[in-house]
Amino acid sequence: KCRTGPLDIVFVIDSSRSVRPFEFETMRRFMIDIIGNLDVGPNATRVGVIQYSSQVQNIFSLKTFFTRADMEKAINSIIPLAQGTMTGLAIQYTMNVAFTTQEGARPLHKKIPRIAIIVTDGRPQDRVTEVATQARNAGIEIYAVGIQRADMNSLRAMASPPLEEHVFLVESFELIQQFGKQFQDKLCGVDMCVEQEHGCQHSCISTPGSFYCECNPGYRLNMDGKTCSPIDACADGKHGCQHQCVSVRGSYSCRCRPGYYLSQNKRSCIMIDYCSFGNHSCQHECVSIPNGHYCRCRSGFTLQPDSKSCRATDLCNGVDHGCEFKCVSTDGSYHCVCPEGQQLQADGKACSKCGAGHVDLVMVIDGSKSVRPQNFELVKQFVNRIVDLLEVSPHGTRVGLVQYSSRVRTEFPLNKYHSADEIKKAVMDVEYMEKGTMTGLALKHMVEHSFSELEGARPLSHNIPRIGLVFTDGRSQDDISEWAKRAKESGIVMFAVGVGKAVEEELRAIASEPVEQHFSYSADFSTMTHLVENFSLNICPEESKGETEIRSPCECEALVQFQTNTVAILQSLTEKNILWACSLAQMTARLEDLEKQIANRK
C-alpha cells in the first residue's frame, strides 16, 4: 500500500467515440487497480475522476468518496460520452474546477501534491500546450498516458518535467493494467514521519521529501511548529452549538436557552412542548412558544375573546378568493367552481375549456446524433401525444414541425395538414437527421419562417396564440440567447423540453416567463410521458382567445326572445296567484262552517 502521506489525485479519462467498449472497460480496471493500492481517506489520499470527449463530465470530485468501495462502484457506473477528443478543455476543467478547495482539494499551503493522470488514445482536437503550461504553473503535476494511437508530441506538451518520468505510451489497452503496477511506484515515496524523529506532539503529516505537524481539535500549533496549546474551542464558530457554546480546556459543551432542552446530538436544542402537558383548553390548535403557549384556529375560523374558542367565518366574503366565476364557502374553507361546460384550471381559480381555443403550435425537435435512432422514435411518439391534446382544424389549432441537427428542416408547415390523424401520420414518417446540435439556428428558422403567414401562421391581429415547443437532449453547439429572446419578443410563448444531457441553463433561456411553467426535464427518453401532462396544463388557451362572434343584445331576435321569456314568466306567476286565491276562499268557507257548528252546540 502507498502510505507515504496524502495526495490529491484526479484521473482525466478519454471517452471519445474512438475508444471501444472493451477498451473503456480496461480503463476502468486501470483506475481501480491504482486506487486499490492507495491509502485513501479524508486525511490521506483523495481521489477524483472526470471523463471527457467533446465535453467534460465530473464523475466524482475529491470530496465525494473516502472509501475504495464507493470509488469502485462509481467508476463501474460510468457511461462513456462517445463524442470528440477535447483534451485541452478537460485540462482547463481540471485546473479551474477539479483542483479547487470547493471540490475537495487541500489548500496549497498544506503542500499536498496535486496530481492529474490523463489517459487518452488519440490526438486532441483542440490546443493543449498553453493550458497544460497554465495547469503546471498552478501546481498540478501532470502524468500523460497514451494508448495505441496517441500522439507523442501532444503527450509531451501536456506532461510535467522531467518528461521521461511523466510521459508513458502503452502499446495496447491490454497492457495498461500491467503498466498500472509500474506506475504505482511513481506515486509512492518515503514516509518521512516514519523514517525520522518528527517531534510532533499530536500528529505528523508526511509530504514528499518532508513532513509537518498538526494538532488535535481544540488545540493550536505553537511557533516551534511541533507542540500544541489548548484554544477556545468556541471561538472559531465551528462548534455547531445551536444556542450557546461553553468552552472547556481543549474542548467544549453546548447549552440551551430557557424554554429549550438539549437533544441527543448534544448540539441542537428542542423547544419544550407546553401543549403536550394537556392543560391548554384550545378548541382547535395549541402552539408552543418558549416559556408558554397560545391557541390558534384552523383556516376559516376566528379566535374568540377568551383566546381559546373559535368561530367559523365566510371566507368567500372575508378574503380575496380570486375565483373567476364563483366562490363556495365550506366549514372553515372555500373552493372555486366554474360554469357548466368549463373546467377549473390547475391554479384552482381560473376557468377554461381545454381545446376550445385556437393555437398556432410549432414543435422544434432535436435530430442530432446523440439522440440515437431508437430514442428518436420515442420523441415522435411524444409529439403525437401532444397532438392528441389538441383540436386540430384549419380554423382551430394548427400544428407545424421542424427538425434540426447541424442544419434545419421544416418537416411540415402550419398550413400543411388539417386533422390530427394527418399530422400524426406525417410525424411517424419523419426521417432522423443525425449530426450536430445547432439549437440557435433552429430558433432563428422558427422565428423567421415557421411563424410566417406564408407558412400558415394567422395574422397577429387575429389574436391567435403562437406557441413554440423546443425539444433537445444536449448542449447547443451555437448561441441560443439572441434568437430565444427574439422569439419571445415577437409574441411567441416558448416551451422548453429537455431529456438526458440537456443543459438546464439553456432550457431556462428558451422558456417564457414564468420559467417554471414553461420548461420540463426528464432524465431518460423512456420516462418522457409525464412531461405531456405538464404541457397540457400550460398550453390550453383561454376560451376567449381568437376570433369570436359577438351578438348585440339589441338585435331583433334577441328582443323577441326576451319578450317571449318575460310573458311566460308572468303567466306562470298569474296561474300561481289564482290557485292561491282559490285555496284561501275554500279555507275561509270551512272556518265559517265550523263556527256555526260550535254555536249550535252551545
Side-chain angles (χ1 to χ4, degrees), residues 188 209 272 314:
C188 297
I272 298 173
D314 184 357

Side-chain angles (χ1 to χ4, degrees), residues 101-120:
T101 55
Q102 292 83 357
E103 291 296 304
R106 267 74 64 95
L108 288 173
H109 73 268
K110 294 285 189 180
K111 298 182 180 179
I112 295 175
R114 295 181 173 185
I115 298 174
I117 303 174
I118 302 173
V119 184
T120 179

Side-chain angles (χ1 to χ4, degrees), residues 405-406 435-439 475-479 506:
S405 59
S406 298
K435 297 190 178 179
T437 310
M438 304 293 283
T439 312
R475 182 183 296 275
S476 176
Q477 294 175 337
D478 60 354
D479 180 61
E506 292 187 355

Side-chain angles (χ1 to χ4, degrees), residues 143-175:
Y143 287 86
V145 182
I147 303 169
Q148 289 184 338
R149 299 169 294 276
D151 177 47
M152 178 57 77
N153 290 331
S154 297
L155 298 178
R156 296 172 65 87
M158 292 186 285
S160 296
L163 296 180
E164 60 271 14
E165 295 183 8
H166 292 83
V167 176
F168 304 92
L169 185 61
V170 182
E171 295 179 358
S172 67
F173 275 92
E174 289 76 8
L175 297 176

Side-chain angles (χ1 to χ4, degrees), residues 302-378:
T302 304
L303 191 66
Q304 298 304 291
D306 63 3
S307 299
K308 295 181 179 181
S309 58
C310 302
R311 184 175 65 187
T313 58
D314 184 357
L315 290 182
C316 286
N317 293 328
V319 299
D320 182 13
H321 52 76
C323 295
E324 181 178 327
F325 177 68
K326 184 179 180 180
C327 175
V328 178
S329 288
T330 56
D331 186 15
S333 184
Y334 70 91
H335 64 275
C336 300
V337 297
C338 293
E340 184 177 356
Q342 295 192 23
Q343 298 177 352
L344 192 65
Q345 294 303 286
D347 61 3
K349 297 179 180 181
C351 301
S352 70
K353 181 180 179 183
C354 191
H358 308 154
V359 169
D360 284 343
L361 170 64
V362 174
M363 287 180 273
V364 182
I365 60 174
D366 186 347
S368 61
K369 190 171 185 178
S370 60
V371 174
R372 311 261 176 99
Q374 64 272 26
N375 291 330
F376 190 73
E377 294 302 313
L378 295 177

